[in-house]
Amino acid sequence: MGLIILLVVGGIIGWVASLIMRTDGQQGVLLNVIVGIVGALLAGLVVTPLIGGAPITSGAINLQSILVSLVGAVVLLAIINLFRRGSVR
């Protein structure tokens, strides 16, 4: 059950991050889920120990973990855009 919730929340986070970075038309549902989950993992490893709290990958779904995961997904999309286009946009 936790994996299904992680996939759904990761997909939503990836979709919102792609809307923020204006890359929604370039990627599909699968890439949104991947970006959301990888962004959540990166944020859970880097940002969460600095500010405290539980990462979304541990099953704690609250406003703080969702916002931290969204920031991680946006940063991941910015890095992808930097390598793909040479600019963040």
Side-chain angles (χ1 to χ4, degrees):
M1 186 69 171
L3 180 65
I4 294 171
I5 292 174
L6 182 64
L7 289 174
V8 170
V9 173
I12 293 170
I13 289 172
W15 174 67
V16 172
S18 69
L19 289 176
I20 291 171
M21 294 299 291
R22 296 185 185 133
T23 59
D24 189 44
Q26 301 169 358
Q27 58 192 38
V29 174
L30 182 64
L31 194 56
N32 280 339
V33 171
I34 292 171
V35 165
I37 292 173
V38 172
L41 286 172
L42 289 175
L45 291 173
V46 176
V47 178
T48 303
L50 296 175
I51 62 171
I56 200 167
T57 54
S58 69
I61 298 179
N62 54 28
L63 185 61
Q64 178 187 8
S65 64
I66 290 174
L67 290 176
V68 167
S69 297
L70 179 64
V71 168
V74 168
V75 169
L76 179 65
L77 279 177
I79 292 170
I80 291 171
N81 283 341
L82 184 64
F83 284 111
R84 190 186 307 167
R85 294 192 187 114
S87 68
V88 175
R89 196 192 251 203

